[in-house]
Structure formats: structure tokens, C-alpha cells
């Protein structure tokens, strides 16, 4: 996003100005036990009930995640 955050989510609807997201998650870098950097995900806006609307103007770029990331997202959110 334009603020530097990275998220992964299911897009349930794409409207003119917003994406409606289900189970959005923040992607975070975190150190592993071996000292390398790994990737973790955590709920984005966990205090919101229902879908989240994300303004398209807040997005700097978008793309398809690697299969490992998709698998981890699906493991957590089903």
C-alpha cells in the first residue's frame, strides 16, 4: 500500500473506488530461530466486524502471492 504495509486477502467485491476484503492479513518480516528472516501474517484490522473496504487509491501495487504464502493464508483463515 502507499504507506508501505503489505497485506494478503480474499477480494469479495471490486467496486469503482474500493475493494471489499474478507480476512485481510498483514504480511510481516520476522526473525527465525536461526537468525534469518521469515515471513509471518497477522489479522489486519482485527477489531472490525465483517468485511473491510480498502480504497483503491491506497494501493501502490498488487500481485498474486507465491503458493507458499497462499497455503499459509488458507491454513490460518480456511
Amino acid at each position: 500500500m502507499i504507506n508501505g504495509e503489505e497485506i494478503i486477502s480474499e477480494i469479495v467485491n471490486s467496486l469503482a473506488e474500493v475493494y471489499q476484503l474478507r480476512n485481510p492479513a498483514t504480511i510481516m518480516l520476522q526473525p527465525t530461530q536461526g537468525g534469518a528472516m521469515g515471513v509471518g501474517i497477522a489479522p489486519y484490522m482485527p477489531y472490525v466486524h465483517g468485511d473491510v473496504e480498502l480504497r483503491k487509491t491506497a494501493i501502490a501495487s498488487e500481485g498474486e502471492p507465491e503458493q507458499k504464502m497462499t497455503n499459509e493464508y488458507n491454513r490460518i483463515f480456511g
Side-chain angles (χ1 to χ4, degrees), residues 9-75:
S9 182
E10 174 187 352
I11 299 173
V12 292
N13 206 355
S14 178
L15 304 173
E17 296 183 15
V18 299
Y19 286 118
Q20 290 178 326
L21 307 178
R22 180 162 299 135
N23 297 323
T26 300
I27 300 171
M28 304 172 299
L29 291 177
Q30 54 190 164
T32 64
Q33 289 181 349
M37 292 302 284
V39 176
I41 60 176
Y44 178 77
M45 296 180 69
Y47 46 82
V48 172
H49 177 72
D51 296 339
V52 172
E53 289 190 352
L54 177 65
R55 296 206 171 277
K56 291 181 177 180
T57 56
I59 300 171
S61 61
E62 59 185 281
E64 290 293 318
E66 291 187 8
Q67 191 61 48
K68 287 182 190 179
M69 180 65 75
T70 300
N71 292 346
E72 181 66 6
Y73 176 85
N74 289 333
R75 183 185 72 78

